[in-house]
Structures are given as C-alpha cells and as structure tokens.
Amino acid sequence: MKPPSRPGTVLLTDYAWPDDSVERSVIENAGHTLVTGPAEPSSAGAIEKLVAEHRPAGILTCWAPVSATAIGTSPDLRVVARLGVGLDNIAVDTATEQGVWVTNVPDYCVEEVSDHAVGMVLAWTRGLAVLDREVRAGRWNPASARLRRLSTLTCGIVGFGRIGRATARRLGAFGCRILAHDPHPPRDAPGVEMTGLEELLRRSDVVILHVPLTPATHHIIGSDQLALMRPGGLLVNVSRGGLVDTDAVIKALDSGHLDGAAFDVLETEPDVPAGLSAQPGALLTPHVAFSSDASVIELRRRAAEEVVRVLAGGTPAHACNTPRDLPAGSGDPR
C-alpha cells in the first residue's frame, strides 16, 4: 500500500446539499486542499477529467461515478471515500489492485432509512397519500377509503443488516408478523422468522427491500418474484433502484396484482417512468430516505474524516476493501 501522503488535494466530485462547508472544514483543517466539482453528479468522463487535472490524493464522492480510469489517473491517490453506503458507483476492484482504500459510512442513516420504509408502509395501510390527493381535489368521500390494519399483516424484509433489523424492531411494535431473508442469517432474531426469498414473497402482504445493489441482486424483484407475492400487496424499495424491474412493477400495478409500490429510489433516477408516475398506487420520493438534519451532517463529517485519517497514514474506520500490498501486521481493516 502507498505510504502516507504529504498535504495534498482532495476532490469532492459532487454533493447533495447546499454547499461543501463541512467537508472543506475537515479537509482544510488537516492541511489539505479541497477542490469541489459541480453539485450535480457528472458523467464518468467528466470525473476522469477532473482527476487528471487535479491529481488528488483523496476523492470524496456522493453519486458521481469514480471509474477504473479515474482511479488509475492520479498517481497520488490514496483513498476514495463514499458519501453514503453503497459502492456501486466506485470501481472497487481497481482501487484494491492499485493500493487505494475505499471507504463508506455504513451506519449514518440507519434510523432515517428505516423510518422512511415504515412511513411508506403506514401511508399505504392508512391511505394517506391517496386520500390527501382526493381531499385536495375537492372530493370528501370517507366511504371510498380501503384501509388496512397493520397488526393483521405479514411484512417481509429482504436484507437483515443494520437497517433491516431496525425496520423489524419498528414493525414489531405494531404487532404484525415479520419474516426476513438474508444470505447470512443471524443466529438469533427475536420476533422474526428467517425464511428463503421465495417463501417470504409468497407469505408477505408487504415486502421491504434493504439490500445493496450488486450483480447478484440486480432485479432481485422482477415479474417472476412479483407473481409470487400475495395479491393486493405492497412493495417498498428504499435501497437502490436497480434491485427492481420497474416495467414488471408497472405491469403488476396495472393488473391489480400489486396494490402499491413505494419507491425512494429508481433505476432511471432522476427520470421517472411515465407509466409509474401515472399509477395511483405508486408512492414516490426523490432518493431522500437517508436524509435528516442530523444524518447528513454526520455523513459529511465522517466521510471527510476517513480521507484525513488515510492521508495521515492511518487505517480507515470503515474500510470496504483490503488494498494490495497492505503491510504485514495491519490486520483485517474491516
């Protein structure tokens, strides 16, 4: 692995907040220089040009793609830090081969994402979004309500990591039956029945996705999986848009087999398919499940601190890889 670097440049590729003040304070107080790209995420090619121009020792990235070319362009690069959890926008394998750390902040928004998922379930069971639209359109018709008692439903959670467990705790307070699926099931999950994915889909009235996007999970929910779900159910996705085949969801909503689809993320974001936005059973938010006044500040500070830590020669608190040529005795960084 590369040795500690002298004070150098850190590139912030993009950001989903009003300014770069938090990142700048952490980076510049450590003696480094922060260079900020455009707020909106640029293309892979544009990021590659920024890296070639500034030769950063560290990269902070929110949603912009940090390609293999970008990672290989700067000989000074020591760390790529994700302002978030998922790593699907970073060429992790290339970073590993080139001795570059990849980090994330895996636990900054556990409460927020779980709250968002459960909020979407409650909006569906109580008809909040649909009835609000009706009232605002001048239709006051209580007899039209088709509401559900959450405690009588079965909720299936796909992915039982930090956020999945938090969602299970919240749903458990409502008294509903909880199923969960995870490739690495815990030894003990009080109040939760661990099942296979197909069994979870067959038995659940509500299916909530809490899994990362990987080649193995791409379109983990498609037409075959939707067909297994109970008629009239709800699908919630607050993880990554690519987990779901959106066209299959639109067809399931059209047919009435699926009653609701609550999505904070879309495979095509920020573009919303017309067939989805036209669905009365679709509840859509613009990739904000992670966000709160507390979580965003924590995310920005901790991601920047990881960059500073690595540039000072330290080991990241939340390493997502083991860079090639890691010195003997360093142990498992994860």
Side-chain angles (χ1 to χ4, degrees), residues 45-71:
I47 299 302
E48 290 161 9
K49 290 179 180 178
L50 282 173
V51 172
E53 178 184 356
H54 297 288
R55 294 167 59 100
I59 294 175
L60 281 160
T61 186
C62 187
W63 287 318
V66 180
S67 67
T69 299
I71 290 169

Side-chain angles (χ1 to χ4, degrees), residues 101 315-316 319 321-322 326 329-334:
W101 289 104
T315 299
N321 67 338
T322 303
L326 188 69
S330 296
D332 185 347
R334 291 163 292 182

Side-chain angles (χ1 to χ4, degrees), residues 8 13-14 73 78 84 91 93 98 130 136 144 153 162 166 188 201 216 221 235 238 252 254 259 279 281 283:
T13 63
D14 63 303
T73 296
R78 304 294 187 268
D93 290 345
Q98 299 200 13
V130 173
R136 290 175 184 273
S144 69
L153 303 181
R162 294 180 181 88
D188 186 30
L201 293 170
I221 301 295
L235 176 66
V238 290
D254 274 336
D259 184 75
Q279 295 290 337
L283 176 61

Side-chain angles (χ1 to χ4, degrees), residues 258-278:
L258 198 62
D259 184 75
F263 292 167
D264 182 57
V265 289
L266 295 171
E267 193 166 24
T268 57
E269 64 183 62
D271 297 323
V272 181
L276 183 63
S277 61

Side-chain angles (χ1 to χ4, degrees), residues 22-113:
V22 174
E23 297 84 353
R24 186 170 298 279
S25 174
V26 173
I27 296 300
E28 294 189 348
N29 283 344
H32 304 289
T33 300
L34 183 71
V35 174
T36 303
E40 293 294 321
S42 299
S43 67
I47 299 302
E48 290 161 9
K49 290 179 180 178
L50 282 173
V51 172
E53 178 184 356
H54 297 288
R55 294 167 59 100
I59 294 175
L60 281 160
T61 186
C62 187
W63 287 318
V66 180
S67 67
T69 299
I71 290 169
T73 296
S74 178
D76 300 324
L77 189 62
R78 304 294 187 268
V79 57
V80 179
R82 173 81 211 290
L83 287 150
V85 180
L87 304 173
D88 44 290
N89 63 322
I90 300 172
V92 179
D93 290 345
T94 300
T96 301
E97 285 301 311
Q98 299 200 13
V100 175
W101 289 104
V102 176
T103 72
N104 69 352
V105 189
D107 53 355
Y108 79 98
C109 61
V110 169
E111 306 303 317
E112 284 80 4
V113 176

Side-chain angles (χ1 to χ4, degrees), residues 97-163:
E97 285 301 311
Q98 299 200 13
V100 175
W101 289 104
V102 176
T103 72
N104 69 352
V105 189
D107 53 355
Y108 79 98
C109 61
V110 169
E111 306 303 317
E112 284 80 4
V113 176
S114 179
D115 287 350
H116 207 86
V118 174
M120 285 176 151
V121 174
L122 289 171
W124 178 69
T125 58
R126 302 309 305 157
L128 301 182
V130 173
L131 293 174
D132 175 76
R133 290 194 293 264
E134 289 290 300
V135 171
R136 290 175 184 273
R139 294 184 286 272
W140 188 276
N141 184 14
S144 69
R146 298 293 182 267
L147 308 180
R148 301 161 178 82
R149 179 179 287 181
L150 181 52
S151 64
T152 67
L153 303 181
T154 297
C155 295
I157 301 171
V158 182
F160 206 61
R162 294 180 181 88
I163 301 174

